[in-house]
């Protein structure tokens, strides 16, 4: 049985003071022992505050990006060992906004994945097609390429620390969610890619999230599908009530 993972992606929102209020609210709403893992992926400047505020709760902390080098002359960047040293356990890699606005390629994504795993972080690897790719009928080709190239050099043992987030780009931040069936179909296809590259056991074990306008109203349907093992949640993760409802829906 795969344990579901609900991860919030706060994107470029919330100062440390605002972050402290949100995780405080959230911790109160999901106190106890949720049936899924709960992660909040926060801006770099919020990490120290959120790590401190979530100590002793079930909420884990993630970052939204990192640089692939361990250290060096990369002004403005943050490395995987730095994140680990700050108490971060997860990192989102290859989010479509980073691919679109910051020129990330499958090759840089792969370098970041390997660097994160080497440092002991759990990776949330984002893949997904654009609207044009879906309309052209190359959704599977796109997802297959992003998964295969993103995981080049990653061993089957390391795969235990990788989550794949299937996020159709046309559904991110648009309010347009993939239907339960559309999301399930591509998540199942993604699992098949893992079986092809690794093994049936690896495919069976890997957590595959859906992301793209998941909210309190649609989460239960999406999370009831057999190949959807959680969610990467943007907008709705900024509201404690909505995010807590999604966590409950994963139970
Ligand atoms: C995301 O940021 O990964 C995301 C899925 O955003 P939203 O839920 O707002 O569509």
């Amino acid at each position: 049985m795969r344990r579901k993972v609900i991860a919030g992606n706060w994107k470029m929102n919330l100062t440390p003071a605002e972050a402290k209020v949100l995780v405080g609210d959230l911790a109160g709403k999901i106190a106890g022992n949720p049936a899924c893992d709960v992660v909040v992926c926060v801006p770099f400047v919020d990490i120290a505050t959120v790590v401190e505020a979530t100590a002793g709760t079930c909420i884990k902390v993630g970052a939204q990006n990192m640089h692939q080098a361990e250290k060096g002359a990369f002004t403005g960047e943050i490395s995987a060992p730095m994140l680990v040293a700050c108490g971060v356990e997860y990192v989102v890699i290859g989010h479509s906004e980073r691919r679109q606005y910051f020129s990330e390629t499958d090759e840089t994504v792969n370098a970041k994945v390997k660097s994160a795993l080497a440092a002991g972080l759990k990776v949330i690897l984002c893949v997904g097609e654009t609207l044009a790719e879906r309309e052209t009928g190359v959704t599977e080709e796109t997802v297959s390429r992003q998964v295969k190239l993103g995981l080049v050099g990653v061993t089957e043992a390391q795969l235990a620390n990788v989550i794949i987030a299937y996020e159709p780009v046309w559904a991110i931040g648009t309010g347009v969610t993939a239907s339960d069936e559309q999301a399930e179909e591509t998540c199942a296809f993604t699992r098949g890619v893992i079986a092809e590259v690794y093994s049936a056991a690896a495919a069976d074990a890997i957590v595959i999230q859906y992301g793209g306008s998941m909210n309190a109203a649609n989460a239960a349907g999406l999370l009831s599908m057999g190949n959807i093992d959680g969610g990467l949640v943007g907008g709705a993760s900024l509201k404690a009530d909505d995010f807590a409802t999604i966590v409950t829906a994963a139970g």
Side-chain angles (χ1 to χ4, degrees):
M1 265 303 271
R2 296 181 292 270
R3 187 171 161 85
K4 288 188 170 62
V5 180
I6 301 295
N9 174 18
W10 290 2
K11 311 195 191 203
M12 196 173 71
N13 293 293
L14 307 186
T15 63
E18 292 165 340
K20 192 172 176 181
V21 173
L22 178 60
V23 283
D25 272 7
L26 193 59
K29 290 181 197 300
I30 58 172
N33 212 356
C36 63
D37 290 341
V38 181
V39 186
V40 288
C41 300
V42 308
F44 292 134
V45 294
D46 293 344
I47 287 171
T49 302
V50 174
V51 166
E52 193 183 334
T54 54
T57 76
C58 63
I59 302 170
K60 309 268 199 296
V61 182
Q64 301 169 13
N65 178 40
M66 49 164 270
H67 193 276
Q68 58 270 35
E70 235 179 90
K71 58 179 170 180
F74 300 101
T75 302
E77 293 294 317
I78 302 284
S79 71
M82 289 172 173
L83 295 177
V84 171
C86 292
V88 169
E89 289 183 54
Y90 290 78
V91 63
V92 175
I93 293 183
H95 192 281
S96 66
E97 287 153 14
R98 299 227 39 105
R99 294 181 193 254
Q100 186 180 349
Y101 304 129
F102 301 97
S103 308
E104 294 207 2
T105 63
D106 289 324
E107 289 68 33
T108 54
V109 167
N110 176 243
K112 290 182 182 200
V113 167
K114 286 190 285 198
S115 174
L117 292 172
L121 289 166
K122 293 188 174 70
V123 167
I124 300 176
L125 169 62
C126 298
V127 300
E129 82 286 1
T130 61
L131 185 58
E133 286 165 336
R134 177 159 282 264
E135 288 176 346
T136 313
V138 295
T139 294
E140 294 190 348
E141 204 175 309
T142 302
V143 169
S144 173
R145 189 197 74 240
Q146 291 176 339
V147 169
K148 287 179 181 173
L149 293 180
L151 294 176
V152 168
V154 173
T155 65
E156 186 159 336
Q158 287 178 310
L159 207 60
N161 287 321
V162 176
I163 292 170
I164 297 178
Y166 165 58
E167 300 207 297
V169 178
W170 47 271
I172 298 177
T174 58
V176 179
T177 316
S179 68
D180 298 350
E181 293 72 25
Q182 280 174 322
E184 167 68 7
E185 187 182 31
T186 311
C187 287
F189 170 79
T190 305
R191 200 175 300 287
V193 174
I194 295 297
E196 182 194 331
V197 177
Y198 292 92
S199 67
D204 195 43
I206 194 162
V207 169
I208 301 179
Q209 298 173 316
Y210 166 78
S213 299
M214 185 182 271
N215 59 39
N218 61 29
L222 288 159
L223 294 167
S224 71
M225 306 307 282
N227 282 288
I228 301 180
D229 309 319
L232 183 55
V233 184
S237 71
L238 295 170
K239 298 175 201 138
D241 277 334
D242 290 11
F243 195 62
T245 301
I246 295 171
V247 169
T248 305

